[in-house]
Amino acid sequence: MVVAVGYGLLARRADRWPWRRSLAGGLALAVAVVVLDGPVAVYGDLLFWVHMIAHLSLIMVVPVLVACARPLALLRSAGPGGGRRWAQVLDSRAVRLVTFPLLTLAVYAVVVVLTHLTGFQQIAVEHPVVRGAETALYVVAGYLLFAPLIGDDAEPRRMPYLLRFVVLAVAMGVDTLTGVVLMLTGTVLAPGYAAAHPGWGPERWPIRASRAR
């Protein structure tokens, strides 16, 4: 709610802020609410496939919509303290380093692999704080990857379209490889889902693998 109000107030202060960007911001918040406080959140800790829907939404859908909403451009044009101050921050070396395409791709790949192919999911089931950190991690990693690809106009560098395609293809390869490993593995990486399975709904990894043992 605070984010929505803040974005709306800044959009009113900005000169001719496009309604499509505001719509993208509203959709991003709507998806986040469904995932974090709606049906996906209710069944996310019971059914692993529902939890995977949450993962995809938080690391792909929400970040893409946020990037389309252009929050950095909005801060630059109507941010508190003046747009020039925010322009200096966004053009700083620190921001350029954090948004360097190869670095954002590496961060995305590490986040996807380590949170799915290790015991991280079991830790997240046992510790709600870790689950909350996971949510923030997905949104940040996804935004850092997709914002330069979409072409945020607050981004000081302009990525060539060929490089954007290469980065997106590599990121898709990481997602595909992780999914294939999850489907083929016989190792139970998150037995907590098997213990909490309600006895209805389609069974997917790691429920079936856990019961087989």
Side-chain angles (χ1 to χ4, degrees):
M1 181 62 68
V2 175
V3 174
V5 172
Y7 187 96
L9 292 176
L10 291 178
R12 292 188 61 182
R13 292 179 53 184
D15 184 23
R16 296 181 179 179
W17 187 251
W19 65 268
R20 295 180 182 84
R21 298 181 181 180
S22 298
L23 177 61
L27 290 176
L29 290 175
V31 173
V33 169
V34 171
V35 171
L36 300 178
D37 294 317
V40 177
V42 173
Y43 298 106
D45 288 334
L46 300 177
L47 300 171
F48 190 73
W49 65 274
V50 176
H51 189 64
M52 289 298 101
I53 292 177
H55 282 196
L56 292 175
S57 300
L58 292 173
I59 203 169
M60 291 185 178
V61 180
V62 172
V64 168
L65 290 173
V66 171
C68 291
R70 302 290 199 267
L72 300 183
L74 183 58
L75 285 174
R76 172 176 286 188
S77 61
R84 182 176 301 178
R85 174 184 175 185
W86 284 100
Q88 293 176 350
V89 174
L90 296 175
D91 292 338
S92 64
R93 290 184 177 180
V95 173
R96 294 192 177 205
L97 176 63
V98 172
T99 58
F100 184 63
L102 295 181
L103 178 60
T104 60
L105 176 60
V107 170
Y108 180 88
V110 169
V111 168
V112 170
V113 172
L114 291 186
T115 59
H116 290 90
L117 302 184
T118 65
F120 181 87
Q121 290 304 314
Q122 180 61 26
I123 297 175
V125 170
E126 298 173 352
H127 303 282
V129 175
V130 177
R131 178 69 77 209
E134 176 193 47
T135 298
L137 186 63
Y138 282 160
V139 173
V140 171
Y143 176 78
L144 290 178
L145 175 70
F146 288 111
L149 299 182
I150 293 175
D152 195 324
D153 48 6
E155 166 62 35
R157 285 187 306 271
R158 294 291 182 179
M159 290 180 61
Y161 286 101
L162 179 59
L163 180 57
R164 297 184 192 186
F165 176 79
V166 171
V167 172
L168 181 60
V170 174
M172 291 175 61
V174 173
D175 293 329
T176 302
L177 179 62
T178 302
V180 170
V181 172
L182 288 176
M183 288 189 296
L184 297 180
T185 185
T187 303
V188 182
L189 300 181
Y193 287 97
H197 193 261
W200 51 265
E203 294 185 359
R204 292 293 185 269
W205 182 96
I207 304 302
R208 182 170 49 196
S210 176
R211 288 188 172 183
R213 294 189 175 187

